[in-house]
Amino acid sequence: MTESISEEDLSRLVSHLSASSSSDQNAAAAKKVAELTVERGNEEIRERILRARGVPPLVALLGNDSAAEWATRSLFHLSRSKRLRDVIREDGGLKPLVGFIAAGPDSPVTQYALLALINLINSNPSNREVISCHERGINRLVRLLGSCSCISPITEYSLLLLDRLLAKSDPWLCILRDAFRKEGGFPVLTMLLNNSLEVAPTNACVQHTTSALLTLVTNHIENRVALREAGTIDALVQLLEEAEDAKLPAVEHATAIVASIATNSEANKAAVTRSGAVPHLVHLLRGPTVCPAKRNAVVALMVLAHGHAAHRNLLREAGAVEELVPLLRHGSAEAMTEKAAWALGNLSQGNAANQRAIREAGGLAALLPLLEAGDDKPVVKAAASALMHLLVDSAPNREEVVALGGLNALVRLAANERCEGSRHALRALKAVSATSEHYHQWLYEALLKAKGQWPPPATSAPPALT
């Protein structure tokens, strides 16, 4: 419990913070303020110091070598108050606090400056803008992190501040992400991620680093390239290998990063597959647990399967088919079911071995019921597209769909032009119709009946399914 102080003593204390007092009095007064305000829940004392105009002299003491550490501690404690965050900015406190980042990891003032800045940007866009852009906080943070040779509280707080600065999606985010890359931030974060993993995958630094990396690469082509060139993918794979709990935030971040960087980039896909990530992504699909990392792993496999044929073979050999098919029956996680269907469709595209593996794993039987999930369900389009790829150039798959009674579901969907999956269902039926004249005629009649257009006008022969 913090001690109480009378109004008279508080006024005298604030006067001792001023430049007219000696350096020893300044330091003693700043220390006393830090002690008075240390209790997190004591909002009253912070309000009293605000009314006593205690903030301006504390900001001024940031330039006093003997009192700077205690002044910084005091501002850290005061910044817990939402109202005081604006006051500290208006009284000029942000510039010297950001400047203390350059003091390095061995300076006692750096830790409290970082903690104060973390508080100051909390729910305060104006402070975030000043710190990150006008005062070049991102650049200073990268340099500080680069000087951290070991994992310490300074490292953790620096990473947390970086993560918080990047957390809000606004016009400033693009500037911050570019500044981070140009300052050489990706090799620095890769080094810190490797160092943090030597401690434990559950280390807070691992979580903050992966969270920042995810923000930095999401929808940012240049940063994805920079991440690959910095060797970060290997560190992420090491995290997936060592983490025992798929529910760890760092695992969620790592899988999302892999999915993000592999999107629309054959070079990044090749780097991911070379790194040995695929077996770990497949491993995350095992078991009944539904968590964000599992969903991200499905998306990553879906992305990797779209493109180079060699990647599709690699995924099959890693057991992806056997783990993806059961997810089609995961009714409680519709988004994951949808992505699993897309992944299987990508795997089967022009790949006879994968078409066979999906059939043998029960994929056709699992996909067919999804066609009737509802007109507005994204999973319907995903399932229809997967079936389209599975039936093209695969007589055994077409025969199994017929045997399972799947043609009626495909016909109903193809006839429902309001549904986005209609076109894919029609192309799947076209693959079946090529099997024989009998199926061509039957499907032609079934489609017209489903559309309410039977009997058709007199014609010499049924037209092609288009």
Side-chain angles (χ1 to χ4, degrees), residues 19 39 66 86 89-90 99 124 188 195 207 228 245 283 293 351 356 376 388 395 421 443 455:
E39 189 174 304
S66 61
D86 288 324
R89 180 188 72 250
E90 291 162 1
N124 196 307
V188 170
N195 291 347
Q207 177 179 334
R228 182 188 77 232
D245 185 0
H283 178 75
N351 192 303
R356 179 176 64 254
D376 59 340
M388 175 186 73
L443 290 170

Side-chain angles (χ1 to χ4, degrees), residues 94-113:
L94 297 186
K95 184 171 184 175
L97 287 172
V98 174
F100 284 145
I101 296 176
D106 298 324
S107 172
V109 78
T110 304
Q111 174 174 326
Y112 295 102

Side-chain angles (χ1 to χ4, degrees), residues 113-436:
L114 289 168
L115 290 169
L117 291 168
I118 290 168
N119 283 345
L120 286 163
I121 64 173
N122 186 24
S123 303
N124 196 307
S126 296
N127 285 353
R128 174 175 171 269
E129 177 185 332
V130 172
I131 291 167
S132 58
C133 298
H134 302 308
E135 298 302 334
R136 295 174 61 81
I138 289 286
N139 308 68
R140 295 174 187 266
L141 272 174
V142 171
R143 290 194 286 273
L144 174 60
L145 288 167
S147 66
C148 293
S149 57
C150 62
I151 301 305
S152 66
I154 293 289
T155 313
E156 180 181 343
Y157 301 147
S158 299
L159 288 168
L160 179 57
L161 178 56
L162 174 65
D163 189 20
R164 296 281 177 84
L165 287 172
L166 295 169
K168 186 175 177 59
S169 180
D170 60 16
W172 291 108
L173 181 58
C174 185
I175 296 173
L176 300 185
R177 296 198 297 181
D178 286 339
F180 177 87
R181 183 186 71 256
K182 293 173 183 176
E183 192 64 38
F186 281 99
V188 170
L189 285 190
T190 302
M191 174 197 70
L192 291 172
L193 181 54
N194 283 320
N195 291 347
S196 302
L197 287 171
E198 290 179 4
V199 178
T202 55
N203 187 289
C205 289
V206 176
Q207 177 179 334
H208 300 323
T209 303
T210 53
S211 177
L213 284 169
L214 177 58
T215 305
L216 286 161
V217 301
T218 300
N219 299 322
H220 199 299
I221 295 173
E222 292 89 345
N223 281 0
R224 292 174 184 173
V225 173
L227 181 143
R228 182 188 77 232
E229 293 177 346
T232 318
I233 296 173
D234 290 334
L236 294 170
V237 173
Q238 183 184 345
L239 167 59
L240 296 178
E241 182 179 357
E242 295 182 3
E244 297 178 356
D245 185 0
K247 294 182 180 179
L248 285 175
V251 178
E252 176 187 347
H253 302 153
T255 49
I257 292 168
V258 171
S260 177
I261 64 173
T263 301
N264 298 325
S265 172
E266 292 303 317
N268 285 354
K269 287 178 188 177
V272 169
T273 55
R274 283 196 307 270
S275 70
V278 170
H280 301 298
L281 294 170
V282 171
H283 178 75
L284 285 169
L285 305 190
R286 296 185 179 127
T289 303
V290 177
C291 61
K294 189 172 188 175
R295 179 199 62 217
N296 294 340
V298 174
V299 174
L301 293 171
M302 175 191 77
V303 172
L304 290 170
H306 186 269
H308 203 289
H311 297 164
R312 297 177 192 142
N313 292 328
L314 178 63
L315 267 62
R316 181 189 71 251
E317 292 162 2
V321 170
E322 290 78 8
E323 302 305 331
L324 286 167
V325 168
L327 299 181
L328 299 176
R329 306 183 183 95
H330 222 305
S332 61
E334 186 176 308
M336 191 159 60
T337 299
E338 179 204 350
K339 300 304 181 186
W342 283 116
L344 289 168
N346 290 346
L347 281 167
S348 64
Q349 196 168 359
N351 192 303
N354 285 354
Q355 289 175 328
R356 179 176 64 254
I358 294 168
R359 180 183 72 251
E360 293 173 351
L364 294 170
L367 284 166
L368 286 169
L370 300 177
L371 298 178
E372 301 185 276
D375 292 359
D376 59 340
K377 300 290 186 180
V379 72
V380 175
K381 181 179 179 179
S385 177
L387 285 165
M388 175 186 73
H389 291 304
L390 283 161
L391 298 185
V392 171
D393 298 325
S394 178
N397 283 2
R398 293 195 291 267
E399 291 169 6
E400 178 152 333
V401 166
V402 172
L404 290 168
L407 292 185
N408 288 325
L410 283 168
V411 167
R412 284 192 292 271
L413 179 58
N416 184 3
E417 296 177 358
R418 294 171 301 174
C419 183
E420 287 190 17
S422 173
R423 180 173 57 86
H424 298 297
L426 187 60
R427 292 181 66 182
L429 290 173
K430 187 176 181 180
V432 175
S433 73
T435 304
S436 70

